[in-house]
Amino acid sequence: MSSNEPALPSPSDAASAPPLSPAPPSAEDRDPYRWVVIAQIWLHQMLTQITMVGMGIMLLGIRADLGFGTTQAGWLGATRTVGQLVVFPASFLAVKFAPKRLYSVLTFALGIMMILGGFAPAFWALFATQVVFSLSMALAQVPGSLLRTQWVPSKELGRVWGTGNALNAVAQTGALVGIPLVLGVLGGWRGVFHAAGVLMLLAAVVWAVTGRQRGEHRAAGPESNFSALRRPEYYLLGLASLGGATAYLACLLFLPTFLVQERGLSLQTAGFVSAVFPAAGLVSNVASGFVSDRVGRRKIFIWPSGLLLPFLYILTVSPLPVWALVPVVFLLGFFAWLPFPSIASIAYELPNVRPAEIAVGQALQQAVSGAGILCGPIIVGAVAAYAGSLRVGIIAIGMLPILFALTCLWLPDTGPKATAARS
């Protein structure tokens, strides 16, 4: 840790302290070191995808090893997002701590849980490690939000979120394509968990040495925290995220199993087809982030996905040949990812929003979306067990992205040009 990092504030100091400082940097105030900080946050997010998204491709092996069924698989998939339900109340405490220090602790926790997951002797043990993993990952987004506010100018928000999401898509694609190839080398799914955990711990050590927060951190007073609850935009952003992310993550978890068990494809082919899903996000996020910054508006990159995605989810589980399925899955991934850089940017661009409000507001947004994301795999697993087919469960959950379009009826448009027009 850096020697000039301030000590954690006491509760009495926090009650009387002004809002979090410093203010977001202006377009002209672009410290080159911001890329050292932001790039490491991106790296940590990518490493979490190995076990989180890789769970879908490893699920058949995990079930055979630990001996559980489709319903339990749904519950295991739900653990990936259970932390989002807890991060909102926890954010009121988290914003009081120096973001770099808290982020360091949580990054170490992620690596430890990955390694412990690889030693799980039974379903309940793997389930427990994944719950703690999810809690750590969700809570890390609070100091991560504060660090972005400190380092990223407003005119770079779209491209920063778009690039970060694109790198997540790269990691997801790499996990889905690469894990089937290395399972034998690493000794099965347990070896994948151990390798991912070691990489995360190494990244955490590098962060502890090189990570920085910008300026002196001071905790916001209670009024600054609770003011986020009075902004309806965070509830609407949460609902939009709920619609898109619930369907995306549930499909990503069960699509490889569906393609193997119900379409008769090999695990390698199923992994390749599933990898097209997040690979499309690479193109989508880069395009959406950079173009929305250039266009200067956000909503136009959100609502079209809500109209197209339900039809694409139906096509994805239709009996298409592989050569036709691949472009359909690509379009599904493209439009599933398209809204998220704009959704993330809106949270930072609301009128007169303060850093503490952003951190707490995003935690509120995650809690709203997390409720749906948590239930998504459980619903798909339960419906599949009742109907005898994963196709029915995936189609049911694939209707949720309509919320992208519905929430845009009330969301304000933001972005540099929209803000200038309001002024």
Side-chain angles (χ1 to χ4, degrees):
M1 296 185 183
S2 58
S3 59
N4 61 348
E5 184 174 347
L8 303 183
S10 68
S12 59
D13 292 336
S16 58
L20 290 164
S21 60
S26 66
E28 293 75 25
D29 185 16
R30 297 177 177 178
D31 189 329
Y33 202 81
R34 72 189 184 279
W35 296 119
V36 176
V37 174
I38 298 302
Q40 290 188 79
I41 294 176
W42 288 340
L43 174 62
H44 303 150
Q45 292 173 345
M46 292 175 70
L47 290 174
T48 63
Q49 305 302 314
I50 298 175
T51 56
M52 191 176 78
V53 173
M55 183 78 72
I57 206 70
M58 295 184 287
L59 192 56
L60 289 172
I62 295 173
R63 287 173 58 183
D65 188 9
L66 301 183
F68 59 88
T70 304
T71 301
Q72 288 88 348
W75 282 96
L76 184 61
T79 62
R80 299 174 303 171
T81 50
V82 68
Q84 294 185 351
L85 300 179
V86 180
V87 71
F88 171 57
S91 67
F92 289 92
L93 177 62
V95 294
K96 297 180 182 296
F97 296 98
K100 187 253 178 165
R101 182 176 299 175
L102 178 59
Y103 191 86
S104 298
V105 172
L106 293 170
T107 306
F108 276 104
L110 288 171
I112 293 170
M113 288 303 109
M114 287 176 169
I115 292 175
L116 290 179
F119 288 112
F123 170 81
W124 64 266
L126 181 59
F127 183 89
T129 62
Q130 294 307 290
V131 168
V132 179
F133 176 87
S134 175
L135 292 171
S136 301
M137 184 171 64
L139 192 55
Q141 295 180 42
V142 176
S145 175
L146 294 173
L147 289 165
R148 287 187 186 92
T149 303
Q150 293 174 356
W151 286 99
V152 180
S154 59
K155 289 187 177 181
E156 291 182 351
L157 279 173
R159 70 195 70 178
V160 166
W161 279 106
T163 303
N165 287 348
L167 292 172
N168 279 348
V170 170
Q172 292 178 7
T173 303
L176 291 168
V177 173
I179 287 176
L181 301 177
V182 301
L183 275 173
V185 177
L186 295 177
W189 67 271
R190 296 181 185 276
V192 174
F193 271 74
H194 293 155
V198 169
L199 290 174
M200 181 63 79
L201 289 178
L202 290 174
V205 171
V206 174
W207 168 262
V209 175
T210 64
R212 292 183 192 170
Q213 59 190 52
R214 196 165 188 246
E216 182 182 358
H217 174 80
R218 298 194 68 189
E223 176 59 28
S224 178
N225 292 342
F226 283 100
S227 60
L229 303 181
R230 296 193 289 269
R231 290 186 179 267
E233 296 89 349
Y234 287 119
Y235 299 93
L236 292 169
L237 291 170
L239 285 174
S241 299
L242 182 155
T246 301
Y248 175 85
L249 292 172
C251 183
L252 196 60
L253 175 68
F254 286 108
L255 185 59
T257 302
F258 166 78
L259 293 175
V260 172
Q261 292 186 339
E262 299 188 32
R263 291 292 310 274
L265 304 182
S266 68
L267 184 61
Q268 287 75 17
T269 303
F272 171 77
V273 173
S274 301
V276 175
F277 201 9
L282 171 60
V283 180
S284 179
N285 278 290
V286 171
S288 176
F290 280 82
V291 176
S292 67
D293 277 349
R294 181 60 61 90
V295 172
R297 296 182 181 274
R298 308 299 184 192
K299 280 172 63 172
I300 189 61
F301 296 92
I302 300 175
W303 62 263
S305 291
L307 303 179
L308 292 171
L309 283 171
F311 299 101
L312 291 171
Y313 276 107
I314 293 173
L315 284 176
T316 296
V317 292
S318 299
L320 299 173
V322 173
W323 64 265
L325 180 61
V326 169
V328 170
V329 173
F330 182 88
L331 289 174
L332 177 60
F334 183 91
F335 286 103
W337 282 89
L338 184 68
F340 284 101
S342 293
I343 288 174
S345 298
I346 288 174
Y348 288 75
E349 295 171 334
L350 298 175
N352 302 315
V353 68
R354 290 170 288 185
E357 289 181 89
I358 297 171
V360 175
Q362 284 199 312
L364 171 60
Q365 177 183 331
Q366 292 168 30
V368 173
S369 64
I373 297 171
L374 175 70
C375 295
I378 298 173
I379 292 172
V380 173
V383 171
Y386 178 78
S389 171
L390 279 169
R391 175 181 284 112
V392 180
I394 293 173
I395 289 176
I397 213 71
M399 299 299 105
L400 279 177
I402 190 65
L403 289 172
F404 279 142
L406 294 178
T407 54
C408 279
L409 297 174
W410 294 279
L411 273 173
D413 202 5
T414 65
K417 288 189 178 179
T419 301
R422 284 197 304 270
S423 302

